[in-house]
Amino acid sequence: MLQVALLLSAFVVLTPNELFKTLQAIQGANASNPSEALEIYTKVQPVLPKTPSKGLYEIHLAGLKSGIRANDVGLIKSIINLFSENKDWLHYLNYEKGEIATYLAIYFRRTGKFELAEKSYECAIRFSTNEQKQKIINNLAVLYRTAGQLDEAEEILDRALIEYREEEHIKAALHNNLANVYFDRENYEKAAELYRLAFLHHQKSGENYEASYVGLNLLNSYIASKQWQGYQRYVNTVKMRVDQTQDSELITVLMWQELTVKRAEQVAELNQEQQVFLLDSLPMLMKTEYHHNITRYVSLLQLPKLTTLYQDFATYKNLSVRKLDDNKQSLDLVLSWCQEGV
């Protein structure tokens, strides 16, 4: 990992080689430690070039991603304003506009601003390539699902599956999101069927991260339905893929699943080291997309200390969400081309 100190060298502006190393450092940290990615981006901001380029765009986008994951409103606003108000960037941006609008929509979705998120996705579609469009459709389906609009989510995904029926890699992502809809409806059998289709495609394509993410969803559907035979059939394959990613978040989720099954299926005691792992990793998982599953896992694990800690974090999270809802700063985040339709 590139050290932050190395980036803040005697150079007034980072050289192309240092730009590349900076991008690698931020992207690498985003995969496992968004706070570290945020720190790197913030510290190199003053020495970044001013003239738009592909590499510089990727660095700002990586910074935006870390800001969203860490919910740093100030940083998000500064990057959005750069892309939205700076004349040089407005002249440079083309299909990148769809990508930026998508990230802003993700921010609104995570902060519960569903109407603003929907408008940002609609804007993103206007400026997207065909490849970007299918990703936006998947994200829009996630928005509907998060808002509890499962019929709308299913409808948009069904339409996309018809539109992209010849493109297997796109269908895999659509199958995963449609499986999520069935999971929310507690139709775990149908969810598992669709997760399997997506998982097998990503496996065959050698897409380790995608296979890992979908594989964890598949295992989760078996845990939810207590179909232990299905879980045991796929857990070793999923574990192999997860280990290959070296992604600490995915590895942690898999460990939680394994310990949950050990308690729920085998009714086995967990040793001190395993219990400490659960207690230590709970705060991190509560900040990720996986926090929705933690309630079930904690219930199945039946560990008093873990249950108490989870309840404390759940209470804190609810208070934070209410505080965030009262924070109107996010309402100022509007991309000029989305607002004006240019």
Side-chain angles (χ1 to χ4, degrees), residues 11-282:
F11 291 96
V12 176
V13 176
L14 295 184
T15 65
N17 184 51
E18 286 185 322
L19 277 177
F20 177 71
K21 290 180 179 179
T22 301
L23 177 59
Q24 285 187 314
I26 298 173
Q27 289 177 334
N30 262 334
S32 57
N33 190 340
S35 296
E36 182 182 347
L38 188 67
E39 179 183 2
I40 296 172
Y41 176 80
T42 301
K43 288 191 175 182
V44 300
Q45 252 187 325
V47 291
L48 289 176
K50 303 302 180 185
T51 304
S53 66
K54 178 64 175 176
L56 185 58
Y57 167 72
E58 293 294 342
I59 288 177
H60 285 310
L61 197 68
L64 180 60
K65 181 177 180 180
S66 65
I68 289 171
R69 294 186 69 183
N71 192 32
D72 188 317
V73 176
L75 180 64
I76 297 168
K77 289 183 69 172
S78 72
I79 297 174
I80 290 297
N81 288 339
L82 177 69
F83 288 142
S84 183
E85 298 177 5
N86 184 282
K87 291 182 179 180
D88 291 335
W89 277 107
L90 287 174
H91 179 74
Y92 175 86
L93 296 173
N94 188 19
Y95 287 115
E96 294 88 355
K97 290 180 178 180
E99 192 169 34
I100 296 166
T102 297
Y103 273 90
L104 184 56
I106 291 171
Y107 168 69
F108 285 137
R109 172 173 63 82
R110 289 190 172 189
T111 54
K113 310 292 184 182
F114 298 125
E115 184 177 348
L116 291 172
E118 186 174 18
K119 289 180 179 178
S120 293
Y121 281 131
E122 291 171 352
C123 170
I125 289 175
R126 294 205 310 270
F127 293 97
S128 66
T129 63
N130 190 55
E131 183 70 17
Q132 289 173 332
K133 182 181 176 183
Q134 59 85 16
K135 295 179 181 178
I136 296 167
I137 289 171
N138 271 315
N139 282 324
L140 185 55
V142 173
L143 171 67
Y144 287 138
R145 179 188 168 219
T146 305
Q149 299 172 250
L150 299 182
D151 290 342
E152 289 83 350
E154 182 177 3
E155 181 181 353
I156 193 174
L157 290 169
D158 282 339
R159 287 203 310 267
L161 280 168
I162 294 173
E163 181 178 354
Y164 296 103
R165 58 182 175 273
E166 303 298 328
E167 302 179 59
E168 291 298 323
H169 68 291
I170 294 178
K171 285 172 59 180
L174 295 169
H175 280 144
N176 177 66
N177 275 322
L178 187 56
N180 289 337
V181 174
Y182 281 106
F183 186 94
D184 286 354
R185 288 178 172 151
E186 299 185 2
N187 187 342
Y188 302 125
E189 183 177 355
K190 182 64 176 179
E193 176 188 336
L194 292 169
Y195 285 138
R196 284 195 299 270
L197 289 174
F199 177 65
L200 292 173
H201 169 78
H202 291 311
Q203 263 203 301
K204 290 177 182 178
S205 302
E207 298 165 336
N208 284 334
Y209 184 85
E210 291 81 358
S212 299
Y213 188 88
V214 177
L216 291 173
N217 287 341
L218 175 60
L219 296 180
N220 189 50
S221 68
Y222 289 132
I223 293 172
S225 58
K226 297 185 179 180
Q227 296 295 319
W228 309 123
Q229 186 175 356
Y231 175 90
Q232 296 298 345
R233 179 182 176 186
Y234 284 96
V235 64
N236 289 333
T237 307
V238 174
K239 180 176 175 57
M240 179 181 68
R241 296 296 178 182
V242 169
D243 288 344
Q244 288 174 346
T245 67
Q246 298 183 348
D247 187 302
S248 61
E249 185 176 298
L250 298 180
I251 292 170
T252 300
V253 172
L254 179 60
M255 181 64 75
W256 267 74
Q257 290 183 339
E258 290 179 320
L259 294 177
T260 299
V261 171
K262 182 177 180 180
R263 284 281 285 173
E265 181 197 12
Q266 303 168 15
V267 197
E269 294 296 326
L270 302 185
N271 60 39
Q272 184 66 23
E273 182 180 354
Q274 291 168 331
Q275 293 188 44
V276 168
F277 164 80
L278 292 171
L279 291 168
D280 288 348
S281 57
L282 177 65

Side-chain angles (χ1 to χ4, degrees), residues 289-306:
E289 295 287 339
Y290 294 99
H291 75 270
H292 298 291
N293 300 314
I294 299 300
T295 302
R296 177 180 293 106
Y297 297 162
V298 169
S299 177
L300 291 171
L301 283 161
Q302 290 293 302
L303 299 171
K305 288 184 179 179
L306 184 65

